Amino acid sequence: MRILIKNGTCLVFGKGEQKTNIYIEDQIIKEISSEEKDADKVIDASGMYVFPGLIDVHVHLREPGQEYKETIESGAKAAAKGGFTDICCMPNTIPVNDSPSITSFIKDRALTAGFSNVHPVASLTKGLKGEEICDYGELKQAGAIALSDDGRPVSDSGVMRRAVEYAKAFDLPVMCHSEELSLSGKGVMNEGVVSTRLGLTGIPDSAESLGVKRDIEIGCLVDYPVHIAHVSAKKTIEIIRNAKKSGTKVTAETAPHYFTLTEDAIDLFNTYAKMNPPLRTESDRLAIIEALKDNTIDIIATDHAPHSDEEKIVPFEEAAFGITGLETSLALSLNLVFSGILSMEELAEKMSINPGKVIGINNALFEGNHANITIVNPDFEWTVTREGFISKSKNSPFTGKKLKGICEYTIKNGNIIWSRNN
């Protein structure tokens, strides 16, 4: 299919914002110029931004095992709606993605679905039990793009060291859910004034920061960079910032809810704002924004964690951790541009270029590259509603919130997989 994207402000690799046209043929960006070529589909992107295809390195798709929450198809379609051409799905499925058969199953289901590219992230240890490492060579051959302990961090530092050493041998990125479980215990929200007022058991920020410090130290010991997932705390940011200043190779991500909300969102025991790591204080939120600005945090990911209403409309202590995020992430992140914190080009780096560097995918806009493209309308205003979600789960603390900015088209490998008006 031949596609012409015209009149858009394109974030062209190495050249920044350019008012130009992009011509796509045979799944490839054939030409970036002011010329208008004959095409089967012409997209007038006037007033819009043409991004490299967005990449989300942290998604939970629930299949196999919990298809009532999300399936690979529904999650990949929600991702396409959110502007993501590529998503990485975490291994905490049932059974855990710790074997080539599960990895292959995920890849096959995603290909059949035909929406966003789905890249399986396999488990660091068998069954996510933190005891015995998996066969990373076989997992990579089956299609695993990275390894993670997300869902249940590896507590044994000796096991973690061996896992990172083995991952290094196969050049597989290690994505760390950094948490000191003995400190987080049975906590259900951030430990502080709000948890005390509500009478809820808290999770101290040190549970995250100590876990991050250990994982970075193990990366240094092995001489292999680790990726720190879902950063939520100011203490954590200082550890990562100091590590980078000293020359340590480490990357980090945060999610839109951490730079948009605080623990105050839990007032009246709102279970839709319950997540792990938890929402923290205004001081933490501002620190995350500053860390995005100075590149201490490299990536914006969603940590899309769909749950059913039955798992959320329960007493706060019993509710599942996590929120759905694929369909709101872009608009929430655009607020960083509207408020002058990031430029559009910098946002593209956080949501496409930098995540791609971690997992070895390059969606940058240049002639000859594969055509993975997200077209963004920055002026479109909309309200988050339960009915509007494509995801099977509706567990969002942003329902009812008015947002600005939306994905108009998602193009994967030269094919339109999402169009807002079709």
Side-chain angles (χ1 to χ4, degrees):
M1 185 179 188
R2 300 173 303 162
I3 301 173
L4 176 67
I5 305 169
K6 66 177 187 178
N7 302 326
T9 301
C10 303
L11 303 176
V12 180
F13 180 71
K15 298 179 180 179
E17 295 184 11
Q18 286 194 332
K19 193 70 174 290
T20 188
N21 301 332
I22 294 180
Y23 177 68
I24 300 166
E25 185 177 2
D26 296 330
Q27 304 182 11
I28 300 297
I29 298 173
K30 288 288 187 179
E31 188 173 320
I32 300 176
S33 73
S34 59
E35 297 295 319
E36 289 195 19
K37 292 183 171 290
D38 291 336
D40 304 304
K41 172 70 176 180
V42 177
I43 298 173
D44 188 348
S46 299
M48 302 181 195
Y49 284 82
V50 183
F51 276 59
L54 303 185
I55 300 172
D56 190 348
V57 295
H58 196 146
V59 171
H60 300 268
L61 293 183
R62 306 305 186 198
E63 186 179 8
Q66 295 180 306
E67 289 83 356
Y68 67 95
K69 299 185 186 190
E70 193 81 282
T71 63
I72 292 167
E73 180 175 1
S74 66
K77 187 175 183 181
K81 179 188 174 186
F84 295 97
T85 59
D86 297 83
I87 58 175
C88 300
C89 59
M90 293 294 120
N92 58 333
T93 48
I94 303 174
V96 168
N97 181 16
D98 60 4
S99 67
S101 61
I102 300 298
T103 302
S104 298
F105 168 83
I106 293 168
K107 293 283 289 184
D108 291 344
R109 281 295 176 96
L111 285 172
T112 301
F115 295 105
S116 299
N117 293 312
V118 176
H119 308 285
V121 177
S123 176
L124 278 172
T125 61
K126 293 182 179 180
L128 280 173
K129 293 179 179 179
E131 298 170 355
E132 185 180 355
I133 60 176
C134 306
D135 190 326
Y136 300 159
E138 288 187 357
L139 288 165
K140 183 173 183 177
Q141 189 173 15
I145 202 167
L147 303 164
S148 181
D149 55 357
D150 195 67
R152 187 70 182 178
V154 176
S155 294
D156 188 311
S157 296
V159 173
M160 190 65 177
R161 175 186 179 174
R162 289 194 295 275
V164 177
E165 285 176 333
Y166 198 29
K168 179 182 179 180
F170 290 98
D171 194 26
L172 280 167
V174 176
M175 300 176 174
C176 303
H177 174 125
S178 303
E179 180 183 4
E180 177 53 60
L181 294 175
S182 63
L183 283 178
S184 53
K186 296 182 179 180
V188 294
M189 68 169 295
N190 183 55
E191 181 178 289
V193 174
V194 178
S195 65
T196 300
R197 176 166 55 81
L198 296 177
L200 295 171
T201 305
I203 301 173
D205 52 7
S206 296
E208 175 180 294
S209 62
L210 285 175
V212 167
K213 187 171 181 61
R214 185 207 69 166
D215 290 339
I216 291 176
E217 287 289 340
I218 288 174
C220 289
L221 178 64
V222 176
D223 190 26
Y224 192 62
V226 295
H227 174 74
I228 307 299
H230 45 47
V231 172
S232 71
K234 184 177 181 179
K235 281 184 180 179
T236 302
I237 290 165
E238 287 307 310
I239 291 168
I240 296 169
R241 182 176 285 124
N242 290 335
K244 287 189 171 187
K245 284 180 179 178
S246 69
T248 299
K249 293 180 181 180
V250 58
T251 55
E253 72 185 49
T254 192
H257 39 273
Y258 295 122
F259 57 75
T260 305
L261 301 174
T262 69
E263 60 187 356
D264 291 334
I266 293 171
D267 204 15
L268 302 179
F269 302 95
N270 179 11
T271 59
Y272 286 91
K274 181 182 179 182
M275 60 206 67
N276 187 29
L279 297 172
R280 301 201 187 271
T281 67
E282 177 66 2
S283 176
D284 292 300
R285 188 185 76 85
L286 294 175
I288 286 170
I289 289 173
E290 183 60 32
L292 285 165
K293 188 174 181 179
D294 70 12
N295 294 318
T296 299
I297 295 178
D298 312 85
I299 291 169
I300 296 173
T302 66
D303 196 3
H304 175 76
H307 294 292
S308 67
D309 285 343
E310 289 76 14
E311 292 162 312
K312 281 292 190 179
I313 307 176
V314 293
F316 196 91
E317 294 90 338
E318 300 172 18
F321 289 100
I323 70 170
T324 181
L326 285 167
E327 297 166 71
T328 54
S329 177
L330 175 60
L332 291 169
S333 299
L334 280 166
N335 283 330
L336 298 171
V337 176
F338 301 146
S339 57
I341 295 162
L342 299 178
S343 67
M344 281 291 186
E345 186 176 10
E346 289 168 333
L347 184 62
E349 289 176 355
K350 303 291 185 190
M351 299 190 73
S352 178
I353 303 302
N354 291 347
K357 288 178 181 177
V358 170
I359 59 173
I361 291 175
N362 186 2
N363 284 347
L365 302 182
F366 60 85
E367 292 179 355
N369 200 18
H370 54 268
N372 282 350
I373 294 171
T374 304
I375 301 177
V376 178
N377 182 342
D379 299 319
F380 185 83
E381 296 182 351
W382 57 289
T383 300
V384 181
T385 65
R386 287 178 60 88
E387 298 75 24
F389 282 112
I390 286 179
S391 171
K392 292 184 73 172
S393 295
K394 322 298 177 186
N395 53 308
S396 172
F398 300 108
T399 300
K401 183 178 177 63
K402 291 184 178 179
L403 299 177
K404 184 180 178 183
I406 202 165
C407 170
E408 290 282 352
Y409 291 90
T410 305
I411 299 171
K412 182 193 79 172
N413 298 331
N415 295 301
I416 298 170
I417 58 171
W418 172 260
S419 171
R420 185 174 66 83
N421 291 314
N422 292 325

